[in-house]
Amino acid sequence: MRAASVLLGLAASALAAPSLTPRDGDQFKDGQPISKDGKGGRILGGTNKALDLQNPDNLGRQPTDAGAVPNLKWSFSDSKTRILKGGWVREQVVTDLPSSHDIAGAQQHLTKGAIRELHWHKVAEWGIVYNGRITISAVDENGVFQATEIGYGDVWYFPPGVAHTVQGLDDENEFLLIFDETDFDKIGTTFNLDDWVAHTPKDILAKNFGVPESIFKDVPATNPYILNATVATKNVTGAVTPEAKGDASFVYRTLQHPPEKIGGSGGTFYKIDSTNFPIAKEIAATFVTLKPGGLRELHWHPNAEEWLYFHKGQARASAFIGNGASRTFDFSAGDTAVFPTNSGHYIENTSKDEDLVWIEIYKSDRVADISLSQWLALTPPEIAAQTLKVPVDFIEKIKREKQVLIE
């Protein structure tokens, strides 16, 4: 009996969990899920080292992360690039980022003279130029038209059904496209001019325009999407309908307006929605620059999901989706992200010497957020203090206005 007891004791000791041994430091920045308090261990199987190094928070670096939060990030570098004569395009749609329920995005590149063929969409289109110059041209159901040159930081908006096209003016031109439909590639969403004409009987075309059928003998059998061309030099003449100007314009020249007045001094914050760009009734946006080490304060959006495109720099953000579930993500230029409606989050510039530049998109007519700091500051201080178990004077000292961008 005594021998059996000894053996059982030895077995129990062998099966007992080993104690955690503190380490000199964590190894997340080295691409290993090892914390300084002894948790984790080296990855021994197959792994993408470059991705691990780019995403240290995916390795468990934040002890505040918990619960099951779906993936909220997609990089345009992971998208299939469609190469064409005159440019390229790469998309992020619902199959790439299923967590995005409102917005699809794309990067598009045009060489000088190249045309994104004439077309229209069932959904709204929003775009911003971040390199070069392009001509945008559009016509609505009342014949209101506009053909104008736009450049860096300029935004355009085409309501659903508006006929339009864009043409590159500089040697290399590139822009971000946004659509308020995540399944953007499905049939019945985009309608290309050549595609339609090629599938219409030539006698009908001739009758419609009052010309011989031979006029249409060279119409492409398949739509080119992007085509090489020369820069247009002729303007529209003899129009009997008005040109889109002022509040009716399809264009908003962001940097010709002052940034929003905010409480913080961490950067610049441009709002682009129906309050200053009246035609943009389905898509609202911001254009944000955050200083090195700065913070987009803790907040949430009550009216829509937030879709983001990171244009420059490096960032970190955590999304809290309720019920103890939170997850931290690392971002760099070319990444897109989505924060669910009403989820609490922040964005931090993790660089010490480079600005963080990003664009926020909302399927809404306006930009709206609720600031955590302002909420606490405008709540009876004893209630807020007792809830968080913090000193009352901490609550009383919180600034009453939104800080937005904190230095």
Side-chain angles (χ1 to χ4, degrees):
M1 288 292 293
R2 183 176 180 184
S5 298
V6 171
L7 288 173
L8 286 172
L10 290 172
S13 298
L15 293 173
S19 60
L20 295 177
T21 304
R23 300 180 174 98
D24 292 336
D26 63 50
Q27 296 183 32
F28 299 112
K29 290 186 178 180
D30 298 323
Q32 295 294 341
I34 298 174
S35 65
K36 61 184 178 182
D37 61 2
K39 294 180 181 179
R42 297 186 64 80
I43 298 173
L44 302 178
T47 191
N48 187 321
K49 186 71 170 181
L51 282 180
D52 292 336
L53 292 171
Q54 291 173 25
N55 299 277
D57 287 301
N58 249 1
L59 298 173
R61 182 167 65 174
Q62 300 303 327
T64 49
D65 284 0
V69 179
N71 179 48
L72 304 178
K73 171 184 174 179
W74 178 264
S75 173
F76 275 126
S77 295
D78 289 322
S79 298
K80 171 67 175 176
T81 303
R82 183 180 176 189
I83 301 175
L84 302 139
K85 294 179 179 179
W88 56 260
V89 63
R90 56 185 185 181
E91 301 176 334
Q92 177 260 292
V93 294
V94 66
T95 50
D96 303 314
L97 187 59
S99 296
S100 179
H101 304 103
D102 292 346
I103 299 295
Q107 289 178 308
Q108 192 165 113
H109 186 103
L110 298 177
T111 56
K112 187 172 185 177
I115 298 170
R116 166 63 177 101
E117 64 169 310
L118 282 79
H119 62 287
W120 73 96
H121 307 291
K122 184 179 72 174
V123 300
E125 174 180 313
W126 185 100
I128 185 170
V129 179
Y130 55 76
N131 193 85
R133 296 173 302 128
I134 63 174
T135 292
I136 66 102
S137 174
V139 181
D140 75 4
E141 71 272 22
N142 297 312
V144 177
F145 70 98
Q146 187 171 17
T148 189
E149 174 188 318
I150 61 176
Y152 179 80
D154 291 339
V155 168
W156 72 88
Y157 178 84
F158 301 137
V162 167
H164 59 274
T165 187
V166 300
Q167 181 176 44
L169 298 179
D170 286 348
D171 289 341
E172 306 291 341
N173 312 275
E174 204 165 298
F175 41 88
L176 177 71
L177 291 168
I178 297 297
F179 306 97
D180 62 341
E181 166 60 68
T182 58
D183 194 7
F184 180 71
D185 289 333
K186 68 182 177 183
I187 292 176
T189 302
T190 298
F191 306 85
N192 293 305
L193 174 62
D194 339 31
D195 194 20
W196 186 23
V197 171
H199 291 88
T200 300
K202 285 188 172 55
D203 63 318
I204 298 298
L205 294 170
K207 183 180 290 186
N208 187 82
F209 292 103
V211 297
E213 292 182 23
S214 59
I215 289 289
F216 304 101
K217 62 183 177 63
D218 294 325
V219 171
T222 56
N223 58 293
Y225 190 84
I226 292 173
L227 62 145
N228 277 322
T230 57
V231 173
T233 58
K234 293 185 177 181
N235 296 321
V236 174
T237 59
V240 296
T241 51
E243 186 173 357
K245 295 180 180 179
D247 286 351
S249 177
F250 296 108
V251 170
Y252 183 81
R253 301 188 185 277
T254 308
L255 301 181
Q256 292 184 13
H257 298 79
E260 296 294 304
K261 293 181 179 179
I262 58 175
S265 58
T268 55
F269 187 86
Y270 291 91
K271 181 182 70 173
I272 309 154
D273 64 13
S274 61
T275 63
N276 53 14
F277 189 24
I279 200 170
K281 291 181 168 52
E282 287 90 4
I283 298 176
T286 66
F287 181 48
V288 187
T289 300
L290 184 62
K291 295 178 182 179
L295 183 72
R296 170 70 169 98
E297 69 172 334
L298 288 152
H299 65 286
W300 70 92
H301 304 281
N303 60 329
E305 287 183 346
E306 177 181 1
W307 186 96
L308 304 98
Y309 161 71
F310 291 93
H311 180 61
K312 177 184 176 184
Q314 297 179 323
R316 177 176 66 178
S318 296
F320 167 69
I321 63 172
N323 294 93
S326 181
R327 182 174 172 184
T328 304
F329 297 85
D330 302 287
F331 299 102
S332 57
D335 288 343
T336 68
V338 63
F339 296 134
T341 308
N342 283 285
S343 63
H345 58 279
Y346 65 87
I347 301 173
E348 181 187 25
N349 183 348
T350 55
S351 173
K352 295 179 180 179
D353 53 16
E354 183 182 23
D355 284 346
L356 177 67
V357 180
W358 77 89
I359 293 162
E360 302 171 359
I361 300 290
Y362 308 92
K363 187 174 181 177
S364 177
D365 64 339
R366 72 192 192 284
V367 175
D369 68 39
I370 296 177
S371 159
L372 172 59
S373 294
Q374 188 177 56
W375 177 33
L376 293 177
L378 300 179
T379 296
E382 291 168 306
I383 294 177
Q386 291 179 83
T387 299
L388 291 176
K389 308 301 182 188
V390 296
V392 173
D393 64 346
F394 159 69
I395 301 295
E396 292 176 328
K397 291 176 182 177
I398 297 175
K399 294 178 179 178
R400 269 52 176 171
E401 68 273 19
K402 292 181 183 180
Q403 297 303 292
V404 185
L405 303 176
I406 300 170
E407 193 167 6

